[in-house]
Amino acid sequence: MNSPDNMPSVTQRPSGGPLEGRCFLSVLDFEAGDLEHSLLLSAALKRDRTLGKEAPTAAALQGTYVALLFEKPSLRTRSTFEIAIRELGGNFIDPSADVALGKRESLADVGRSLERWVAGAVVRTYEQSRITDLALATNTFRVINALSNEEHPCQAIADCMTLKEQWGDTVGRTVAFVGDGNNVATSFTQAAVMLGINVRVASPEGFELPARVDEDVNRIGQQGAGLTRFRDPIAAVKNVDAIYTDVWTSMGREAEVEARKKLFAPYQVNEELMSYAKRDACFLHCLPAHRGEEVTDGVMDSSASVVFDQAENRLHTQKALLVMLFED
Ligand code: CP
Ligand code: NVA
């Protein structure tokens, strides 16, 4: 890659971390330095996007094929990976889920075959173990988690970029995640504490963040950042710098939708709940949003809402990730 002085070079990435491996299956594959580096690179890529073919990274993936393997619907993740790969000069293939995700043959054999033609895969599926199995079955294949039941790490990097754009320094800030302790909440918590952000999570009984996230936070939290769990959403959002929510029913859980609507009703992010946060607090949502359920129109469309900045930043952060993982 042609790296001008103002573009962080991939070779400047802190060495020795787990990302020295070839996959991004979890935020935990990043060390704090990797996350900081990816955010610097993302900001440079965002700034340089207007340069088009003259951008320093326009040929970063030249001659590289990437497979997009999606078992669940996607607008933002799929579109931004397609655009990112093209803007980096690469190509993608898009085999249909019925042939590519282990129904016709084992996932391991899918991976071993794909590895002979393409450099890596972006995978959206159900259990996280399916993505890990694919990565383990191959030797050189780069694998990126584009959402599993348990984690959504690409979303978390875009969330961090959005918060950095809002605040500059993130250390000592506090974000409340209100709702299901799901894939988005897990990855966001892991990434946020790496940036020194305190995270509060308010969930109904039975829908808390997995217990293992406390251990992750103790290990990876920077500058004293920690995780506090709440049952009461009002207590969780008092005086916070941002409120984050996600759908009450994630993909694959559709059978529970009616029961969840009742349980999660007190966790709606509405104008009243926002009023307990700091006056200039922002509102985050990974999207798609179910307006009138986990969030009201008034909050989604307010000046506090940065949800479409998050959506935009999926592109820049995934471009940075592709450069970091795929460029030789
Ligand atoms: N936030 C997110 O991952 O959106 P999609 O499901 O549309 O990809
Ligand atoms: N938690 C949601 C996120 C969608 C981007 C889901 O898994 O369906």
Side-chain angles (χ1 to χ4, degrees):
M1 180 176 73
N2 169 20
S3 294
D5 290 344
N6 58 357
M7 166 78 72
S9 157
V10 283
T11 58
Q12 289 167 2
R13 181 159 55 82
S15 59
L19 196 66
E20 289 302 301
R22 56 194 160 88
C23 299
F24 184 67
L25 309 187
S26 167
V27 169
L28 302 177
D29 288 334
F30 268 172
E31 291 186 347
D34 296 315
L35 179 57
E36 293 280 6
H37 175 79
S38 80
L39 295 172
L40 280 174
L41 189 54
S42 302
L45 286 160
K46 184 170 187 171
R47 186 194 61 220
D48 289 346
R49 191 171 182 224
T50 52
L51 298 176
K53 293 265 182 256
E54 304 304 316
T57 52
L61 264 64
Q62 195 158 32
T64 300
Y65 278 84
V66 181
L68 302 180
L69 308 178
F70 279 62
E71 266 192 314
K72 292 174 176 173
S74 170
L75 171 67
R76 281 147 287 269
T77 310
R78 179 189 280 277
S79 306
T80 49
F81 267 112
E82 289 186 4
I83 296 165
I85 292 164
R86 285 202 176 108
E87 290 189 359
L88 294 171
N91 289 291
F92 59 84
I93 60 165
D94 190 12
S96 61
D98 60 337
V99 300
L101 279 149
K103 292 191 176 74
R104 230 169 131 241
E105 57 192 309
S106 77
L107 208 51
D109 285 349
V110 169
R112 291 186 192 112
S113 300
L114 283 171
E115 188 176 26
R116 300 300 179 104
W117 319 310
V118 306
V122 174
V123 185
R124 172 170 284 200
T125 187
Y126 293 88
E127 296 80 21
Q128 177 88 5
S129 58
R130 288 171 67 68
I131 307 180
T132 311
D133 289 349
L134 181 68
L136 288 175
T138 56
N139 296 311
T140 60
F141 215 38
R142 275 83 157 170
V143 182
I144 296 176
N145 179 358
L147 181 145
S148 67
N149 290 347
E150 293 90 348
E151 300 190 37
H152 196 2
C154 294
Q155 179 69 51
I157 318 178
D159 301 337
C160 289
M161 181 176 190
T162 307
L163 291 177
K164 266 198 175 291
E165 288 174 342
Q166 291 296 311
W167 299 333
D169 189 9
T170 51
V171 174
R173 296 279 186 167
T174 302
V175 179
F177 189 99
V178 177
D180 192 12
N182 62 14
N183 45 8
V184 170
T186 296
S187 293
F188 175 75
T189 301
Q190 293 166 339
V193 298
M194 280 191 190
L195 295 182
I197 298 171
N198 292 297
V199 181
R200 301 177 182 179
V201 180
S203 315
E205 191 176 356
F207 298 90
E208 298 90 352
L209 271 184
R212 68 174 171 89
V213 182
D214 293 285
E215 291 157 34
D216 299 337
V217 166
N218 289 338
R219 198 175 63 253
I220 64 180
Q222 301 292 309
Q223 315 252 6
L227 163 66
T228 316
R229 294 162 180 270
F230 290 78
R231 187 73 68 218
D232 176 6
I234 295 176
V237 304
K238 273 192 181 147
N239 221 25
V240 296
D241 297 289
I243 298 179
Y244 197 152
T245 195
D246 183 16
V247 291
W248 292 337
T249 305
S250 287
M251 292 179 277
R253 298 277 189 177
E254 287 78 7
E256 301 167 20
V257 70
E258 290 310 320
R260 283 175 176 251
K261 271 186 197 169
K262 287 195 189 77
L263 272 168
F264 281 88
Y267 293 82
Q268 183 186 66
V269 180
N270 49 36
E271 291 84 334
E272 197 206 328
L273 195 70
M274 285 296 294
S275 75
Y276 290 98
K278 283 190 181 149
R279 195 192 301 267
D280 60 352
C282 49
F283 170 72
L284 298 123
H285 194 308
C286 58
L287 306 179
H290 292 169
R291 290 166 177 258
E293 293 183 19
E294 76 275 4
V295 61
T296 56
D297 284 336
V299 172
M300 273 286 283
D301 300 330
S302 69
S303 58
S305 175
V306 293
V307 301
F308 297 111
D309 294 329
Q310 291 171 266
E312 175 182 347
N313 288 335
R314 298 295 305 278
L315 174 62
H316 312 301
T317 49
Q318 286 161 198
K319 266 172 115 168
L321 183 65
L322 288 164
V323 171
M324 289 169 71
L325 282 180
F326 283 80
E327 205 185 39
D328 290 328

